[in-house]
Amino acid sequence: MNNIKTDGEIEIMRENALLVSRTLAEVAKHIRQGVSTLELDRVAEQFIRNHGAEPGFLGYRGFPNTLCISVNDVVVHGLPSNYQLHEGDIVSVDCGTRMKGFYGDSAYTFAVGRISPEAEMLLKATKESLFKGIAQAVHGNRMGDVSNAIQTHVEGLGYSVVREMVGHAIGRKMHERPDVPNFGRRGQGPKLLSGMVICIEPMINMGKKEIGYARNDSWAVRTVDGSLSAHYELTVAVGRDKADVLSTFEFVEEILNNRNLE
């Protein structure tokens, strides 16, 4: 269950994680009103293959695409389609790679053009909660320390935490044990050990925490009340003194910042 990785394995996973990060940045270049989510999926698949890897999600448990693209009230696992993004949408893009026998996984929620102040606050709070969770990914802590840091931050701001969908360990399989919930009690859960690699991914709703499956999409998970949901994810190796974050948002945010300057 601990799935401790060697230093060499962690470096291969870092390669995957950085490729996922660069893939999300490539997708960021194309996020705009009028682009279809299926086109974003094509961009990601081509980029991953051009860099010597395979899409980690494509064919995984029967999933038919490279990206999970979840718009507005879709929490996770949205299928790319002919849906064209609209001004004001928020869109979670979740991406995975497989290279040299290991997986990488990361997600980022994008704003399409100008979004509402309420949506901006949701995105900000969700991303903040991710980094609060990461700060707890230290040898000797418990998983509940990670989970509680996320939950405490967002619930204190009036948001709700999805219970059914959680983060996960990662390695030679996309999803390994232990799970990484986004809610819990400090001092509870599996002990974190140096060399564990986990994906921390808060899924936070503006409204109620309850979710359900969309009628027209066998994969997509939506908020039951139709409220917006945000999702960010980074791959993290548990460290002795601090977490070693293998993936990064820096590439994405460089693209977004340059766009804002245009």
Side-chain angles (χ1 to χ4, degrees):
M1 181 172 175
N2 292 332
N3 286 317
I4 304 300
K5 307 300 189 295
T6 67
D7 289 346
E9 289 172 334
I10 288 174
E11 289 312 306
I12 294 173
M13 297 186 71
R14 193 188 309 276
E15 288 183 52
N16 273 280
L18 290 175
L19 178 55
V20 173
S21 303
R22 292 186 184 280
T23 304
L24 289 174
E26 187 67 19
V27 170
K29 296 176 184 178
H30 298 266
I31 296 274
R32 63 182 184 278
Q33 182 176 347
V35 71
S36 75
T37 57
L38 195 57
E39 178 58 26
L40 298 179
D41 190 72
R42 295 190 190 103
V43 166
E45 179 174 1
Q46 190 64 53
F47 189 84
I48 291 168
R49 294 192 186 281
N50 286 349
H51 287 79
E54 299 175 354
F57 296 170
L58 184 61
Y60 182 76
R61 296 181 180 175
F63 191 77
N65 293 96
T66 292
L67 300 176
C68 296
I69 303 184
S70 306
V71 181
N72 294 332
D73 63 335
V74 178
V75 180
V76 285
H77 301 165
L79 285 176
S81 69
N82 291 322
Y83 175 80
Q84 295 181 341
L85 296 178
H86 295 87
E87 180 91 7
D89 284 345
I90 64 171
V91 52
S92 163
V93 179
D94 194 351
C95 180
T97 60
R98 184 176 184 275
M99 180 170 57
K100 300 181 182 178
F102 287 87
Y103 282 90
D105 191 9
S106 184
Y108 195 93
T109 300
F110 296 92
V112 182
R114 292 187 178 181
I115 61 174
S116 70
E118 294 79 11
E120 286 184 355
M121 291 172 63
L122 173 66
L123 269 56
K124 180 174 183 289
T126 304
K127 188 163 66 169
E128 287 173 346
S129 76
L130 168 58
F131 287 99
K132 289 183 178 295
I134 288 172
Q136 298 299 316
V138 179
H139 180 85
N141 280 358
R142 297 279 179 172
M143 192 66 76
D145 298 324
V146 175
S147 305
N148 183 262
I150 294 168
Q151 180 182 11
T152 300
H153 183 68
V154 295
E155 288 186 349
L157 295 171
Y159 304 115
S160 64
V161 178
V162 172
R163 298 307 204 259
E164 295 87 346
M165 316 302 292
V166 297
H168 53 92
I170 188 171
R172 293 188 180 276
K173 297 179 180 179
M174 174 64 73
H175 295 99
E176 297 183 349
R177 303 288 289 173
D179 288 342
V180 186
N182 297 305
F183 64 98
R185 295 183 178 181
R186 294 181 62 186
Q188 301 295 309
K191 189 174 182 178
L192 299 177
L193 302 173
S194 181
M196 293 174 66
V197 181
I198 57 177
C199 291
I200 304 175
E201 51 177 320
M203 289 156 272
I204 308 302
N205 298 346
M206 187 177 288
K208 296 180 179 179
K209 66 179 182 294
E210 286 77 18
I211 59 174
Y213 284 91
R215 292 181 181 178
N216 62 341
D217 185 335
S218 59
W219 286 88
V221 175
R222 292 181 179 270
T223 58
V224 167
D225 61 5
S227 62
L228 296 178
S229 186
H231 173 216
Y232 291 86
E233 176 182 14
L234 288 169
T235 300
V236 177
V238 175
R240 285 280 173 185
D241 301 311
K242 66 176 183 178
D244 180 7
V245 185
L246 305 184
S247 48
T248 179
F249 293 150
E250 290 180 6
F251 306 136
V252 165
E253 293 179 350
E254 181 181 359
I255 297 298
L256 298 180
N257 290 337
N258 287 341
R259 178 178 291 182
N260 289 337
L261 294 174
E262 292 177 356

